[in-house]
Amino acid sequence: MTQDSFAPAVRPGRDVWDEYLATAGPLLGSMGAQVRSLISELDAVRHEGSTVYLAGNGGSASAASHLAQDLLKGAYDGGRPLRSVALTDNLSMLTAYANDCGYDRVFVEPLAHLAAPADRLLVISCSGTSANVVAAAEWARRAGLRVIAVTAGDGGRLRDLADVEVNAPTKDVGLAEAMHSLVFHFVTQCLRDGTGER
């Protein structure tokens, strides 16, 4: 199920909010198996004592930062923490690598210094084609890390690089980002409460 563009026109007699919900609900419903796979993958990170590194651009950079915080703090269940690091959070580091190595290397360079083979890379990109997240995913695969891609639309290049993909099946970026946020909060809650795989 995909949706090429959100609500080109609201149907007569239908409320805009009702139209939004009528569009988003079935799309979210179609993502269940992928969401469960994401929960399993992140639960494995926690049980292994590994680390998940997160990256994205723009709104997806904010989502990466927010999810990293939620995984470390919000998903903590009193046992082993889920170690998570957003590669988007250090402005000095990002700008240094962008200036010295190019913007397409801003995630690869720190990842190469920090990551171990058992770790995961979680990249968020609605297009699935952003050069710096694609470069990070390519590096991660070569280095033996599993790649989690959170995408939209056709998944772009990240679909081919991902071990686990969670795809919001719409090309509407705003709707996709809203769906990503809902998924991330659900995943955090399930990891905290131990309810994700039921």
Side-chain angles (χ1 to χ4, degrees):
M1 172 181 270
T2 59
Q3 185 226 4
D4 287 341
S5 61
F6 172 68
V10 177
R11 286 177 262 170
R14 191 133 191 201
D15 180 77
V16 176
W17 178 242
D18 291 341
E19 190 79 24
Y20 191 86
L21 292 177
T23 301
L27 296 176
L28 281 164
S30 72
M31 297 168 64
Q34 295 177 348
V35 172
R36 284 187 284 277
S37 293
L38 175 60
I39 293 167
S40 294
E41 190 74 22
L42 292 172
D43 200 37
V45 171
R46 175 166 56 192
H47 288 296
E48 293 165 8
S50 301
T51 300
V52 59
Y53 294 92
L54 298 92
N57 294 288
S60 295
S62 295
S65 181
H66 189 163
L67 180 57
Q69 176 273 135
D70 277 349
L71 293 176
L72 185 63
K73 182 182 181 296
Y76 184 63
D77 62 0
R80 180 173 281 187
L82 202 168
R83 299 191 318 188
S84 55
V85 176
L87 298 173
T88 54
D89 282 355
N90 187 324
L91 184 60
S92 295
M93 179 188 73
L94 281 173
T95 55
Y97 282 125
N99 186 65
D100 298 345
C101 305
Y103 192 67
D104 61 333
R105 304 285 300 174
V106 295
F107 301 132
V108 170
E109 296 296 331
L111 196 61
H113 293 298
L114 296 170
D119 292 337
R120 311 304 198 274
L121 173 67
L122 190 158
V123 287
I124 308 169
S125 172
C126 287
S127 70
T129 61
S130 298
N132 55 8
V133 295
V134 168
E138 290 172 338
W139 180 91
R141 287 190 68 85
R142 290 193 302 272
L145 280 70
R146 286 176 59 80
V147 175
I148 304 163
V150 180
T151 64
D154 65 8
R157 175 77 177 106
L158 289 178
R159 173 163 289 170
D160 298 327
L161 295 168
D163 296 288
V164 174
E165 183 188 18
V166 176
N167 176 263
T170 176
K171 293 181 181 178
D172 182 306
V173 173
L175 181 59
E177 289 180 345
M179 293 167 71
H180 290 169
S181 181
L182 192 148
V183 166
F184 294 155
H185 284 288
F186 177 76
V187 166
T188 299
Q189 176 181 315
C190 290
L191 288 166
R192 182 194 65 217
D193 298 341
T195 57
E197 297 180 55
R198 295 183 189 163

